[in-house]
Amino acid sequence: MRILVFQHVDVEHPGIFRTFWHEAGIAWDAVEVDAGELIPPLDPYDLLVVMGGPMDVWQEGEHPWLVAEKAAIRSWVHGLKRPYLGVCLGHQLLAEAIGGTIGPGTTEVGITPIALTAEGRADPLLKGLDEPLDTFQWHSAEASNLPAEAVVLAGNGACAIQALRYGAAYGLQFHVEITDQTIADWHAIPAYAASLREALGPDGLSRIETDTTQRLAAFNRTARTINDNLMRLVAAHLAPTP
């Protein structure tokens, strides 16, 4: 199995998934698209993972590399039809690639619960998760108006599409990859610091650090479950058809 990862800022990487992949001996390559790194040929890869970032899907003028990234995602999802996992911005990029709408939404920063839909409870990626599920959020945009072929797997009052499935592709608006370094790394990004103040007030940093530390073990268990489920989905996709 080979994994290709698109990153949009160097500190927003696969996080704890790196540990899981190392344990399993899985090779993966990261492309820092915001730094001008070129997207390689897609065919050698079995899974595409697209991470978050402080930019928005519609900011092609400010971030022209989004054009090539979006084209690669469309090619992956519609052409190769191989497994895909998008997190936060990666979730929104998937939603746009399949014909959905992305726009400003309610700012969510910190720990919020989400509820699985009936389809989500039956979905193999989300199998074994707690319900309601506490999640770590850091976003101000959201997806809407998905095509009929897309399936909404989870949502909450602030963001109706917290998880989606389209064929073999999945998007998660929330962050499952966080580690004990995530908040410090992300708070150093001005756009993220501003959204934290907007959502949680001037003492938000100390509160989110405390809350996240208390729940980090549970978040990491969720990440392990999703990763294990995802690896089974990729393995099934790679299995030869009888």
Side-chain angles (χ1 to χ4, degrees), residues 40-136:
L42 301 177
D43 194 62
Y45 296 95
D46 306 301
L47 170 66
L48 177 59
V49 177
V50 181
M51 304 307 302
M55 61 289 301
D56 287 308
V57 170
W58 56 84
Q59 292 182 315
E60 292 181 2
E62 298 90 328
H63 308 288
W65 44 264
L66 278 166
V67 175
E69 182 181 20
K70 290 178 179 182
I73 292 172
R74 287 193 298 271
S75 178
W76 183 274
V77 172
H78 296 292
L80 295 175
K81 298 182 179 179
R82 295 178 185 174
Y84 172 104
L85 179 67
V87 177
C88 199
L89 177 61
H91 160 84
Q92 296 163 16
L93 285 164
L94 170 64
E96 183 181 81
I98 63 176
T101 301
I102 311 299
T106 301
T107 298
E108 284 189 289
V109 180
I111 298 166
T112 61
I114 66 171
L116 302 183
T117 63
E119 294 83 357
R121 286 189 289 273
D123 190 87
L125 182 70
L126 305 184
K127 180 181 178 181
L129 297 184
D130 295 335
E131 191 179 359
L133 180 68
D134 280 341
T135 62
F136 186 87

Side-chain angles (χ1 to χ4, degrees), residues 149-174:
E149 301 89 340
V151 181
V152 177
L153 303 176
N156 66 6
C159 179
I161 306 174
Q162 287 280 357
L164 70 89
R165 182 185 73 235
Y166 181 88
Y170 286 87
L172 305 177
Q173 182 58 71
F174 54 96

Side-chain angles (χ1 to χ4, degrees), residues 140-155:
S140 299
E142 64 177 318
S144 61
N145 301 319
L146 298 180
E149 301 89 340
V151 181
V152 177
L153 303 176

Side-chain angles (χ1 to χ4, degrees), residues 172-231:
L172 305 177
Q173 182 58 71
F174 54 96
H175 292 276
V176 295
E177 78 279 16
I178 63 171
T179 71
D180 58 0
Q181 297 297 313
T182 297
I183 292 174
D185 286 344
W186 293 3
H187 189 260
I189 299 171
Y192 285 168
S195 62
L196 187 150
R197 288 192 301 272
E198 175 189 345
L200 301 180
D203 65 340
L205 178 59
S206 62
R207 289 193 287 119
I208 195 175
E209 287 176 331
T210 299
D211 291 346
T212 304
T213 297
Q214 292 173 347
R215 292 170 171 83
L216 187 60
F219 288 150
N220 292 165
R221 286 194 297 272
T222 295
R224 171 74 76 174
T225 297
I226 289 177
N227 178 79
D228 290 349
N229 290 343
L230 179 63
M231 294 302 104

